[in-house]
Amino acid sequence: MSPLFVVNFKNYVPLKDEAKIAGALENHASDLFDTMVSVPSPHIYPLSRELKIHVLGQHADPVAGGAFTGYITPRSLKEVGAAGTLINHSERRVTLADIAETIKLCKENGLLTICCSNNVSTSRALAALSPDYVAIEPPELIGGDIAVSTAQPEIVENSVKEVKRIDAKVGVLCGAGIKTGEDVSKALDLGAEGVLLASGVVKAKDLNAAILDLVSGFEL
Amino acid sequence: MSPLFVVNFKNYVPLKDEAKIAGALENHASDLFDTMVSVPSPHIYPLSRELKIHVLGQHADPVAGGAFTGYITPRSLKEVGAAGTLINHSERRVTLADIAETIKLCKENGLLTICCSNNVSTSRALAALSPDYVAIEPPELIGGDIAVSTAQPEIVENSVKEVKRIDAKVGVLCGAGIKTGEDVSKALDLGAEGVLLASGVVKAKDLNAAILDLVSGFEL
Amino acid sequence: MSPLFVVNFKNYVPLKDEAKIAGALENHASDLFDTMVSVPSPHIYPLSRELKIHVLGQHADPVAGGAFTGYITPRSLKEVGAAGTLINHSERRVTLADIAETIKLCKENGLLTICCSNNVSTSRALAALSPDYVAIEPPELIGGDIAVSTAQPEIVENSVKEVKRIDAKVGVLCGAGIKTGEDVSKALDLGAEGVLLASGVVKAKDLNAAILDLVSGFEL
Amino acid sequence: MSPLFVVNFKNYVPLKDEAKIAGALENHASDLFDTMVSVPSPHIYPLSRELKIHVLGQHADPVAGGAFTGYITPRSLKEVGAAGTLINHSERRVTLADIAETIKLCKENGLLTICCSNNVSTSRALAALSPDYVAIEPPELIGGDIAVSTAQPEIVENSVKEVKRIDAKVGVLCGAGIKTGEDVSKALDLGAEGVLLASGVVKAKDLNAAILDLVSGFEL
């Protein structure tokens, strides 16, 4: 299975700019990695029907359906073409019971689950819930200039070790501060099976140069 | 201005069923009232581009844009064709500061705002924030068989009076338990400028009969 | 009725230091103003039985009693000697429906209610719920060096005007950045019926000097 | 170490009734088990200084101290005599990141941590955070008439097995529906190291009889 290259668009830019950035990411897609963009829920439908790369949600609620006004069900994400979703991002934390139920409902709906953690012990706890991926992102490094794989390589290494000890089928993504191909390559060296990043692409001054540099990290 | 006929789809049914119900509502549209459907955020785009009746969101977050993963910005609702949004529904309560900021951002984005309240005093408080509409829905009547306009007409009447005293430009919708044309007509008689309902349409055994009955309430 | 001099201890210091600060405040008590300290809920009992000045909670939940583990009921605040409580502080925002219900329960329990707002329109909305006081605290000024009464006198003035227009019995407190007697005096001049402050006392280098200066603002 | 007999008072009764119930529990204390009562935070001080049995909080926030109005810090629980606290009770769920940080702060303050879970997978996740105890309480059985140890013995058995596999030092408590000595004895047989209950004691018609029956479950 190819390593993941997940770009979280947050709510940084309008839909039309998301389409441009996603297009650039698609142009640089390759067999060496699996590109995914995570977008605001209203944008999933218009983006997923234009793109070949996978589109993810940014959050889902632990609800199958019913009298839940304003909730984002896994079913509704699937209906509009999402391939999966982030869960428990540091900007949208949810309760442990909700994470467990959301993972279950996503699996029933054929959605990939990427659960965000902030340290080794929460990575381990998430692994116990068997999502597809745990994305380790120390909050103090998010949006910063130093990648977690450089600043705190032991967090990535230990997260990989502990996650695999709990459930070997759960993958680990490396997030927070990833900006260059070297950051990506270092993350993979530490045992990560992909990266999760945001500003490194969305706020890049030269979009194509930034993507080219980042994806170079997947080439051996 | 025509009274509002707002149907909240909650997360009761899949997208394809929402499309059917919305189609039936559109078939019964009229100049006597303004039909709107409130749908899960991922469904706004696919529904709004097929429908002539207005599509609303069910919730919006008080955020213009930025590093807010999993948030629903008013901007993103507008981009996908929403005409407005519910705010503070009883199934998705938000803080007072968030309601105020969300109303402000919705106005900047040209979105209609319908804020839900549960009694006369919260109706009055919401009026002080000058949304387009306050929808009064006593929680104990939501999803039930008796309309608020029948069970507690004084709540509707007093909400109208108090809301107008605070800000005469704010409209009042009557919600909770509305199921028949008589319920609608009674609500309008009490001073409401429309109705907000959900199960009365979405869970109706005979969809067209239910809609026909309901809209008859708008014909004096 | 005397203007209020409310000091919010937040969770800045341990209980024994709270006792010292409260003692200093008590030493400077006077008929010209009514001193109150707002403390963490576990500390209300040990402080209220030692002090003559009023002790307030910092938050209460909208629950009379029952199966609500981890909730702070107005009843429990009353039982341990609280004279009232803050509600909806900017560090502990709650939903509009919860504010309304909490005020109601506090009144039933004979507790004074001080609801925090962040601008003129939320001050107005809170006034519609008829608490004893609305405390206006623009979040960007909290903990800062410039008092709201100096930085944005029009917010205080307009809050007073709008609150009184909604319910003349609701008092207005001026919060955020209050540090000197001049700040206090200016707040009273703008129509405020007291002040709510925190770091200006709790983090003062010279506690007695800070209190002496502040209370001088209440003298004529 | 003795098995735990933890009674959660929720917010069922006023302080003076809590004192009576706690007194009855103290009268039936024994070396065979360790009796603890979990009480609303304002009540910890008045109860802990009168009782010899341990007093626990019902919730704690992941905050060491500072500008956090309305938060319950582990430090403040310790200061008023708490021996520990419940965390993540089904009526007061918190985020995964908050559970992890709260456990850490409680340990630094010498407080016992009992984290509530709702099924086997969340029990396993909590074990990964190394609290002192995980209390398994399927929400659908809380407050009911059938004990989890009778209704779903495999949940208790599997929780014990999985928790120990993750961290052998973490104990497992059995909650939800425990009402009789037989329920207690069955829970211990399934590997639980104590019980967590509420209505079985607090709402008992004959308080002393209920306690006598329950504690008989700890004998042999």
Side-chain angles (χ1 to χ4, degrees), chain A residues 8 10-15 41-43 45 49 58 65-72 75-76 79-80 89 91-92, chain B residues 8 10-11 13-15 41-43 45 49 58 65-72 75-76 79-80 89 91-92:
Chain A
N8 176 9
K10 303 193 175 186
N11 270 290
Y12 279 134
V13 294
L15 175 56
S41 57
H43 295 171
Y45 186 93
R49 49 181 213 135
Q58 294 181 342
F68 294 94
T69 301
Y71 286 60
I72 310 293
R75 177 179 73 188
S76 68
E79 289 171 323
V80 293
H89 189 274
E91 291 153 11
R92 191 73 164 85
Chain B
N8 176 8
K10 301 194 175 186
N11 270 290
V13 294
L15 175 55
S41 57
H43 295 171
Y45 186 94
R49 49 181 213 135
Q58 295 180 341
F68 294 95
T69 300
Y71 286 61
I72 310 294
R75 176 179 73 190
S76 68
E79 289 169 324
V80 294
H89 188 273
E91 292 153 10
R92 191 73 164 84

Side-chain angles (χ1 to χ4, degrees), chain D residues 36-52:
Chain D
M36 305 186 175
V37 293
S38 176
V39 309
S41 57
H43 296 172
I44 295 172
Y45 185 93
L47 291 172
S48 69
R49 44 179 219 137
E50 299 294 341
L51 294 167
K52 270 168 264 154

Side-chain angles (χ1 to χ4, degrees), chain C residues 41 43 58 66 69-70 79 91, chain D residues 15 41 43 58 69 79 91:
Chain C
S41 57
H43 295 172
Q58 295 180 342
T69 301
E79 289 170 323
E91 292 153 10
Chain D
L15 175 56
S41 57
H43 296 172
Q58 295 180 342
T69 300
E79 289 169 324
E91 291 153 10

Side-chain angles (χ1 to χ4, degrees), chain C residues 5 7 20-29 33 35 179-181 184 197 200-202 204 206-219:
Chain C
F5 179 40
V7 181
K20 264 183 234 166
I21 298 169
L25 286 163
E26 191 159 285
N27 289 340
H28 296 291
F33 52 90
T35 307
K179 287 215 154 43
T180 67
V184 171
L197 73 166
V201 167
V202 185
D206 184 334
L207 178 63
N208 281 294
I211 296 172
L212 267 174
D213 183 8
L214 281 159
V215 302
S216 74
F218 290 102
E219 291 154 19

Side-chain angles (χ1 to χ4, degrees), chain D residues 98-180:
Chain D
D98 283 359
I99 299 172
E101 183 67 12
T102 304
I103 292 172
K104 185 170 153 270
L105 289 169
C106 283
K107 286 187 180 177
E108 290 170 15
N109 282 280
L111 293 169
L112 187 87
T113 49
I114 300 175
C115 291
C116 300
S117 69
N118 53 323
N119 56 37
V120 177
S121 73
T122 52
S123 297
R124 198 162 43 162
L126 289 172
L129 304 175
S130 301
D132 294 300
Y133 289 91
V134 169
I136 166 82
E137 297 194 296
E140 66 276 17
L141 302 177
I142 293 179
D145 284 330
I146 307 167
V148 59
S149 45
T150 297
Q152 307 183 9
E154 71 286 358
I155 286 196
V156 180
E157 220 167 0
N158 289 335
S159 288
V160 171
K161 195 178 69 185
E162 292 289 325
V163 163
K164 297 298 180 183
R165 196 173 71 83
I166 302 278
D167 186 340
K169 292 191 299 295
V170 176
V172 174
L173 301 184
C174 185
I178 304 281
K179 287 215 154 45
T180 68

Side-chain angles (χ1 to χ4, degrees), chain C residues 65-98:
Chain C
F68 294 94
T69 301
Y71 286 61
I72 310 293
T73 64
R75 177 179 73 190
S76 68
L77 294 181
K78 184 69 179 179
E79 289 170 323
V80 294
T85 186
L86 302 185
I87 297 171
N88 197 45
H89 188 273
S90 70
E91 292 153 10
R92 191 74 164 84
R93 293 292 193 217
V94 289
T95 71
L96 175 63
D98 283 0

